[in-house]
Amino acid sequence: MRDALAGEMNRRQQLLRTAGQVSVSTYQRARRAGVQLAALPTLFVIVDEFSELLSQHPDFADMFVAIGRLGRSLGMHLLLASQRLDEGRLRGLEAHLSYRLCLKTLSASESRTVLGTLDAYGLPNTPGAGLLRSGVGELIGFQTAFVSGPLREGKRVGETMEAAPLRCGPSPHKRRGRLPAQSAAQRNGPSCKRCWIG
């Protein structure tokens, strides 16, 4: 995987150099203008349990940093997910992450590692309550909905839940609607927590 990602980065850099373009966006504009260039689609590199991957193969950290540093101009993007995030795992990557999503964490330190604040630790125990930190640094509360249940009479189990934004701040977060028939927390136990960064 590491060799494939490094090879793809090199291939994209070579395509851009050959075309005389500095980024994938200018390359795509040239293609739309009629210049005969090979397709260069956006590539999302999605890694579930990336903390576990880095604990087993620490050398992947350099590859993730390289994609974070150069990937945007090459049309390559990272989506890293982990249930537990060790503080040291993000070193070198932090400057290249444009957003972070975090559901309720089990400890204040995990919340601080992912978001830089304790807010995710203070989220309600409602399944799916989470926070988004965008590149500008503002925290936005949200409530996810479970929509992957089996079909019953043309509707998915849990489809009636209305996802609503959460209010951030000292007041308790609130949500509207009914809990889905089977949420991720109900399937995986009450401590199902996830963090996404990319």
Side-chain angles (χ1 to χ4, degrees), residues 26 29 51 63 78 92 99 119 158 167:
T26 58
R29 277 198 295 273
S51 287
M63 175 55 59
L78 286 174
Y99 67 89
D119 293 25
R167 293 184 320 184

Side-chain angles (χ1 to χ4, degrees), residues 16 22-25 40 67 69-77:
L16 293 177
V22 294
S23 72
V24 75
S25 58
L40 195 59
I67 293 172
R69 191 178 68 247
L70 302 171
R72 196 169 292 134
S73 65
L74 300 174
M76 295 176 69
H77 305 278

Side-chain angles (χ1 to χ4, degrees), residues 32-139:
R32 285 192 297 272
V35 178
Q36 294 297 313
L37 297 170
L40 195 59
T42 299
L43 176 64
F44 283 94
V45 180
I46 302 171
V47 184
D48 192 14
E49 295 301 346
F50 85 98
S51 287
E52 184 65 25
L53 173 66
L54 292 181
S55 70
Q56 299 294 321
H57 302 281
D59 48 331
F60 264 93
D62 294 335
M63 175 55 59
F64 293 153
V65 169
I67 293 172
R69 191 178 68 247
L70 302 171
R72 196 169 292 134
S73 65
L74 300 174
M76 295 176 69
H77 305 278
L78 286 174
L79 179 61
L80 306 175
S82 184
Q83 290 192 40
R84 303 298 297 270
L85 187 61
D86 298 329
E87 190 168 354
R89 298 280 180 234
L90 288 179
R91 291 206 178 114
L93 272 173
E94 290 172 330
H96 307 294
L97 301 174
S98 54
Y99 67 89
R100 298 168 187 220
L101 290 170
C102 190
L103 302 184
K104 182 172 177 61
T105 59
L106 296 174
S107 70
S109 64
E110 286 178 329
S111 176
R112 187 182 305 282
T113 299
V114 177
L115 297 174
T117 71
L118 306 179
D119 293 25
Y121 181 61
L123 284 169
N125 288 324
T126 305
L131 293 167
L132 163 68
R133 179 178 292 284
S134 64
V136 295
E138 179 185 354
L139 279 179

Side-chain angles (χ1 to χ4, degrees), residues 9-23 26-27 30 35-38 40 74:
M9 288 182 70
N10 291 335
R11 184 185 78 85
R12 287 170 178 252
Q13 288 172 327
Q14 183 60 44
L15 280 174
L16 293 177
R17 272 195 298 271
T18 302
Q21 304 297 330
V22 294
S23 72
T26 58
Y27 185 92
V35 178
Q36 294 297 313
L37 297 170
L40 195 59
L74 300 174

